[in-house]
Amino acid sequence: MSTSPFDRDPSTRRLLDEGYCLSFEGNHLIVERVPYVTAAKAVTYGRLALPVVFSGDIVQDGSGDHRIWFIGEQPCDHHGQPIPGPSPDGHAITPELSASFMISSKPKNAGVYANTYDKITSYVRILSHPAKSLDPTVTATPGAGWTEVPDDLPFVYPDTGTARAGLAEMNEKFRGHRIGIIGLGGTGSFILDQVSKTWVDTIDLFDGDVFDNHNAYRAPGAADIEDLKLRPNKAEHFARVYSHMHTGITAHPDFITADNLELLGNCTFVFMAAADANDKTAILAWLHERDIPTIEVGMGIRDEGGRLSGLLAVVNHFPGMSASAISTATGRPDEYDRNIQTADLNCLNAMLAVINWKKYLTYYAELESVDETVYRIFTGTIRNGIGDAGEDAV
Amino acid sequence: MSPGNNPGHGEHTVTIFVNTREFQWDKKEISYEEVYNLAFPNEPLNDGDVARIEYSRGHNGGGAGSLQPGGTVKVKENMVFDVYVTVRS
């Protein structure tokens, strides 16, 4: 018995019943074998693609967006003239498959399609009528066919955000990566929150600490009081929570020290978010020696006369960068520090780190590679790399 | 010691902000160590401690940057410094 989520969707069920050939690739519903006419007046077959919206594992009606994408050549009428509607528009579906045209045709009266069935059959008619006038034997309904291409993404439920955004090709940049996160405190937990939503293969969490109430107040989401009562290990707690979504997460309920660095040996990228790792310098040096790119985060916040101020720092330790960056954020918290941490600042520091990571992967554009990013609360400014000090520094 | 009382450079006193607080400074330049001491006069840096010093609203079109240990920067009226040890996460 099929476990396809489309079984419970009346529109796709009806399309299949009527003989349409459907498949599911890259979170798009694909209508296979749609007859159309090329500019050379040849009858051939193309494919229609529609990003699929899921709620959990239930497919939702996609008729609200009247657009659809076409995989094929410029669709033409029976004279070989382009039909109105399709416009050239590259739209990635999977790394191997892209649509080349977007078709926009609203229903004449209502302006919106009643459901996905009406939407797809309407577009199939637009494309296939010219083909049928040239060759009455062609059909868009050769018989029920169902090809659900299994994706091997590390997720519990479909990543339809990517399909909707047409970012499949970009997201390939995360594949094959094995991420280590050292420290699951306020900043590390927000880093995990973002990394777990990417296509990285695995995420290893390292923290020997206990998840208590004060941690809950600087972590993403809302911890359950029943979980807090059990005083779980931080790495195990966050692995359990984020395994609701990403399937490649492993908890290591240990602090990383100079004695167990080999635990990091499989990582392709490491986030260093441990507040007071005594061996931080040794850890960073070990990773640097092995050319394992690392991003280190840290913040310093103080009460300045009743208002908090401070700095958030992200230090990039990437292969090829000078080793001088290694020591930039070392230092010991002094005994006067009240350990002030606020979740918004933790979160911002984590997001700056994640953005730098995505720049390293060339997911985001960057003007030039930088060794650090610093946010200043008082001025509200962000500095990337060496400032524009120029002749000021003497 | 108030830096504003530093003798010998009195012809050019400017207001600078260090960790949100105002200070008067009467030298043309300020060093990493001097900025740190304005911020934390009672918390000398121990061996191995590194504070970050960020500055902005400097010379040459509002120059901004990071002041490194041993380094010095030209001061300007209303220049802003932030001095923190960024080791929390």
Side-chain angles (χ1 to χ4, degrees):
Chain A
M1 184 181 133
S2 170
T3 56
S4 167
F6 295 107
D7 274 355
R8 280 165 284 181
D9 173 56
S11 283
T12 37
R13 197 68 256 169
R14 187 171 170 197
L15 290 167
L16 288 170
D17 289 347
E18 293 187 5
Y20 284 89
C21 191
L22 306 179
S23 69
F24 183 59
E25 282 183 64
N27 289 312
H28 283 70
L29 177 64
I30 312 278
V31 185
E32 308 281 356
R33 291 188 64 79
V34 178
Y36 74 105
V37 176
T38 67
K41 291 205 290 182
V43 173
T44 186
Y45 293 91
R47 290 185 278 176
L48 286 170
L50 175 65
V52 173
V53 180
F54 283 91
S55 300
D57 61 352
I58 311 292
V59 67
Q60 296 297 306
D61 177 61
S63 58
D65 180 348
H66 67 273
R67 300 173 302 166
I68 204 161
W69 280 267
F70 182 67
I71 303 156
E73 297 173 41
Q74 170 77 54
C76 295
D77 63 18
H78 61 285
H79 300 300
Q81 295 301 308
I83 59 172
S87 56
D89 179 25
H91 175 79
I93 293 165
T94 70
E96 294 79 32
L97 181 63
S98 291
S100 39
F101 290 90
M102 187 269 285
I103 316 181
S104 173
S105 173
K106 288 185 179 178
K108 281 198 177 65
N109 297 326
V112 291
Y113 293 101
N115 51 51
T116 304
Y117 172 86
D118 281 2
K119 174 175 171 176
I120 286 176
T121 53
S122 171
Y123 279 112
V124 169
R125 270 197 304 277
I126 291 170
L127 292 164
S128 62
H129 266 178
K132 284 189 173 178
S133 76
L134 291 179
D135 179 356
T137 67
V138 296
T139 177
T141 53
W146 181 260
T147 321
E148 188 167 344
V149 177
D151 69 35
D152 53 351
L153 292 179
F155 295 120
V156 174
Y157 44 87
D159 170 23
T160 49
T162 292
R164 287 163 63 76
L167 286 172
E169 222 166 330
M170 298 290 296
N171 283 329
E172 282 295 311
K173 294 177 178 181
F174 296 113
R175 301 193 77 170
H177 283 276
R178 302 184 300 275
I179 309 300
I181 302 177
I182 304 175
L184 275 299
T187 307
S189 57
F190 274 103
I191 290 172
L192 170 63
D193 188 62
Q194 290 303 307
V195 172
S196 66
K197 287 153 184 145
T198 69
W199 294 7
V200 298
D201 288 14
T202 63
I203 308 170
D204 285 85
L205 309 180
F206 304 94
D207 202 319
D209 204 0
V210 167
F211 187 69
D212 278 324
N213 289 31
H214 63 279
N215 305 119
Y217 277 92
R218 51 183 183 237
D224 190 317
I225 188 173
E226 298 305 323
D227 287 341
L228 288 167
K229 285 176 184 172
L230 297 172
R231 301 202 75 219
N233 167 269
K234 278 183 189 171
E236 290 174 341
H237 168 76
F238 284 110
R240 189 169 58 249
V241 170
Y242 282 88
S243 292
H244 291 152
M245 192 162 189
H246 198 287
T247 58
I249 303 177
T250 303
H252 304 266
D254 307 295
F255 291 114
I256 292 290
T257 68
D259 299 327
N260 61 359
L261 290 166
E262 69 281 356
L263 288 172
L264 302 170
N266 286 326
C267 295
T268 59
F269 197 100
V270 170
F271 288 94
M272 176 79 198
D276 43 15
N278 295 323
D279 298 339
K280 187 188 265 189
T281 305
I283 298 167
L284 291 173
W286 189 90
L287 292 165
H288 188 74
E289 281 164 21
R290 281 156 187 78
D291 279 347
I292 299 174
T294 304
I295 286 182
E296 175 195 1
V297 293
M299 55 194 215
I301 311 296
R302 314 250 318 195
D303 184 338
E304 306 287 2
R307 301 177 303 173
L308 303 183
S309 193
L311 298 173
L312 315 183
V314 174
V315 183
N316 300 336
H317 304 281
F318 297 158
M321 282 186 171
S322 75
S324 65
I326 290 286
S327 63
T328 50
T330 58
R332 221 172 47 215
D334 59 69
E335 60 270 30
Y336 302 96
D337 200 315
R338 285 162 46 190
N339 191 19
I340 298 164
Q341 291 182 72
T342 59
D344 49 2
L345 298 177
N346 280 128
C347 176
L348 176 57
N349 206 13
M351 294 312 116
L352 292 172
V354 168
I355 290 167
N356 279 11
W357 169 58
K358 290 184 177 180
K359 286 187 171 189
Y360 178 77
L361 296 179
T362 70
Y363 185 87
Y364 291 136
E366 69 175 337
L367 180 62
E368 56 192 350
S369 178
V370 300
D371 54 5
E372 61 181 24
T373 299
V374 179
Y375 173 76
R376 304 169 67 189
I377 294 172
F378 189 49
T379 59
T381 50
I382 294 173
R383 175 176 64 78
N384 268 305
I386 303 300
D388 54 353
E391 303 113 73
D392 287 343
V394 287
Chain B
M1 182 189 96
S2 165
N5 296 332
N6 195 346
H9 300 79
E11 75 281 0
H12 183 68
T13 298
V14 296
T15 300
I16 59 173
F17 293 86
V18 179
N19 286 8
T20 78
R21 302 187 296 273
E22 283 186 32
F23 292 87
Q24 302 303 310
W25 191 252
D26 65 357
K27 289 194 273 184
K28 287 185 176 175
E29 299 167 356
I30 193 166
S31 71
Y32 174 95
E33 289 73 19
E34 287 169 329
V35 177
Y36 182 85
N37 288 331
L38 290 179
F40 304 118
N42 302 316
E43 298 177 36
L45 280 174
N46 296 313
D47 283 350
D49 290 357
V50 178
R52 281 186 173 278
I53 301 186
E54 299 285 318
Y55 65 87
S56 55
R57 295 192 187 177
H59 280 274
N60 298 328
S66 176
L67 190 53
Q68 301 299 316
T72 300
V73 67
K74 289 180 189 171
V75 295
K76 190 181 176 187
E77 178 73 8
N78 290 328
M79 199 164 172
V80 184
F81 294 86
D82 280 310
V83 188
Y84 297 92
V85 179
T86 53
V87 293
R88 298 292 186 188
S89 59

